[in-house]
Amino acid sequence: MDALKKTIRVIPHVPGVYLYYDGQGTVIYVGKAKDLKRRVSSYFESTRALGYKTAYLVPEIRKIAYKKTLTEFDA
């Protein structure tokens, strides 16, 4: 989890696409955001009520990758 927190700290407040990987390096989720930092961070906030999918997904995440885009539409 420390590696994920380090990654989240450096994610910029820009539009883009984010990918979550499991322990085997398989992409388990792809999402888009108009603010990458806010969106990715929201998955790991303890005060957030998690839906079924998210509650299952988050514990499986071992790596986060992202790609910045110029606009949300591009994402």
Side-chain angles (χ1 to χ4, degrees):
M1 192 60 138
D2 288 336
L4 294 178
K5 288 180 183 180
K6 287 179 184 177
T7 300
I8 292 168
R9 268 189 242 131
V10 300
I11 294 175
H13 287 281
V14 296
V17 178
Y18 57 95
L19 297 93
Y20 292 154
Y21 294 85
D22 66 11
Q24 288 75 44
T26 303
V27 175
I28 57 174
Y29 189 78
V30 176
K32 68 180 183 80
K34 60 182 167 186
D35 184 324
L36 281 169
K37 185 172 197 87
R38 196 172 339 160
R39 182 67 181 122
V40 172
S41 296
S42 75
Y43 280 90
F44 300 93
E45 293 172 354
S46 60
T47 58
R48 181 175 184 228
L50 299 177
Y52 175 77
K53 174 195 72 156
T54 306
Y56 177 78
L57 176 72
V58 171
E60 301 298 317
I61 299 169
R62 297 293 178 268
K63 179 183 168 191
I64 301 170
Y66 62 92
K67 170 127 175 82
K68 299 183 285 184
T69 60
L70 294 176
T71 66
E72 181 183 11
F73 181 79
D74 293 338

